[in-house]
Amino acid sequence: QFLGSTEVEQPKGTEVVRDAVRKLKFARHIKKSEGQKTPKVELQISIYGVKILDPKTKEVQHNCQLHRISFCADDKTDKRIFTFICKDSESNKHLCYVFDSEKCAEEITLTIGQAFDLAYRKFLESGGKDVETRKQIAGLQKRIQELETENAELKNKVQDLENQLRITQVHASPAGSVTPKSPSTDIFDMVPFSPISPQSSTPTRNGTQPPPVPSRTTEIKRDLFGAEPFDPFSCGAGDFPPDIQSKLDEMQEGFKMGLTLEGTVFCLDPLDSRC
């Protein structure tokens, strides 16, 4: 169980650790009275440091590099408690981490001590180069975390701007309005004829209005000059002037008597010379 961490004034010392343990134990009693449970963690100890992980998700909660750990001890009065002091890389403050382990407190303390011994041996073998490499790696990891955080913030800002743009577009176009699509034109900039689509009243690109489509109705058709076309099957006797009607009557009587067009001469009234 991880009781937590608290800032201490000194990087080492038994009394410093005891004060931190008493402080965090008191805080744990308060949390228990409020119904909060002490979180459980998993420790990974290596020559590079001590990692505090979530036991279920394996997410790293704290990464204490070994060269920053200045003191490690278990509580002789309480065999369940062990602690270590580590200098924070960001604030440069000394933090005391306190844990409660029912059976492994002393073993964990010894394991951290063994990690120090192995790290020191490796330091002697490499001539100090390994420590510098770890410092560079640690600096790069910190920079990567900063960039990831900055990238996440930028993504959130971009998402907010996109949402604001959508809201602005919705307010700009009234609800239910449909923007008419301009009909496609041919190479002569003319709208192609479509018998099934209604003629749009929108002018073409050259500024001219397309001719209206004639409506198909049951009314009498008229020619280009507005006159009704001649239909011999629908015309009555009253449709002709009297002189022409008399000529037609005479011609009809002549046909009955056996006359032909060659034997009959027809002529109209002389035209007005003023025309």
Side-chain angles (χ1 to χ4, degrees):
Q1 293 180 341
F2 181 39
L3 273 66
S5 62
T6 181
E7 183 181 356
V8 293
E9 297 180 357
Q10 300 295 328
K12 58 183 179 179
T14 305
E15 292 298 327
V16 175
V17 170
R18 286 178 181 175
D19 291 340
V21 171
R22 283 194 296 264
K23 182 178 180 180
L24 291 176
K25 278 186 176 181
F26 181 73
R28 180 175 66 170
H29 287 309
I30 294 177
K31 291 181 180 179
K32 280 188 176 181
S33 63
E34 295 176 352
Q36 299 182 17
K37 295 182 179 180
T38 305
K40 293 183 179 181
V41 295
E42 178 181 322
L43 295 181
Q44 286 185 358
I45 303 172
S46 66
I47 60 174
Y48 301 106
V50 179
K51 290 184 179 180
I52 304 173
L53 295 83
D54 185 282
K56 295 182 179 179
T57 62
K58 305 300 180 182
E59 181 182 358
V60 179
Q61 298 177 353
H62 301 277
N63 184 13
C64 302
Q65 298 174 3
L66 200 66
H67 67 277
R68 292 183 177 274
I69 297 177
S70 57
F71 188 78
C72 179
D74 56 293
D75 194 345
K76 302 303 180 182
T77 59
D78 189 350
K79 299 296 184 180
R80 300 165 55 97
I81 302 298
F82 71 95
T83 65
F84 63 84
I85 299 176
C86 179
K87 188 176 181 181
D88 185 65
S89 58
E90 297 180 359
S91 62
N92 287 330
K93 296 179 180 179
H94 296 283
L95 302 178
C96 183
Y97 294 82
V98 181
F99 302 87
D100 185 347
S101 179
E102 185 176 357
K103 299 179 180 180
C104 303
E106 186 176 359
E107 294 179 2
I108 293 174
T109 304
L110 293 175
T111 304
I112 295 176
Q114 292 174 358
F116 271 102
D117 292 337
L118 291 174
Y120 182 66
R121 291 178 186 177
K122 194 170 183 180
F123 170 76
L124 294 178
E125 293 174 359
S126 62
K129 296 181 180 179
D130 187 63
V131 175
E132 294 298 327
T133 302
R134 289 204 303 271
K135 288 182 179 180
Q136 293 177 2
I137 293 174
L140 292 175
Q141 289 177 346
K142 181 181 177 181
R143 181 57 181 164
I144 290 172
Q145 291 178 354
E146 292 175 353
L147 292 175
E148 289 178 350
T149 303
E150 184 179 354
N151 188 25
E153 293 177 354
L154 291 175
K155 285 183 179 180
N156 293 332
K157 289 182 180 179
V158 170
Q159 186 66 33
D160 293 339
L161 291 175
E162 290 179 352
N163 294 335
Q164 292 178 3
L165 182 59
R166 292 194 189 98
I167 294 174
T168 304
Q169 290 177 351
V170 169
H171 288 310
S173 60
S177 65
V178 179
T179 304
K181 296 182 179 179
S182 59
S184 59
T185 57
D186 56 12
I187 59 174
F188 300 104
D189 201 16
M190 300 294 292
V191 179
F193 171 74
S194 177
I196 59 175
S197 61
Q199 185 72 18
S200 174
S201 60
T202 306
T204 58
R205 295 181 183 176
N206 54 14
T208 60
Q209 187 75 16
V213 178
S215 59
R216 299 177 179 273
T217 61
T218 56
E219 297 178 357
I220 300 176
K221 298 180 180 180
R222 296 179 181 275
D223 58 12
L224 182 63
F225 302 98
E228 297 179 4
F230 172 73
D231 189 356
F233 299 100
S234 62
C235 295
D239 296 332
F240 301 97
D243 53 349
I244 297 179
Q245 184 64 41
S246 62
K247 296 290 183 180
L248 291 175
D249 293 339
E250 292 176 1
M251 188 172 68
Q252 188 175 5
E253 292 295 332
F255 286 152
K256 291 180 180 180
M257 298 172 61
L259 297 178
T260 62
L261 290 176
E262 295 178 355
T264 306
V265 178
F266 297 96
C267 66
L268 298 177
D269 293 338
L271 298 175
D272 192 352
S273 60
R274 293 175 297 177
C275 294

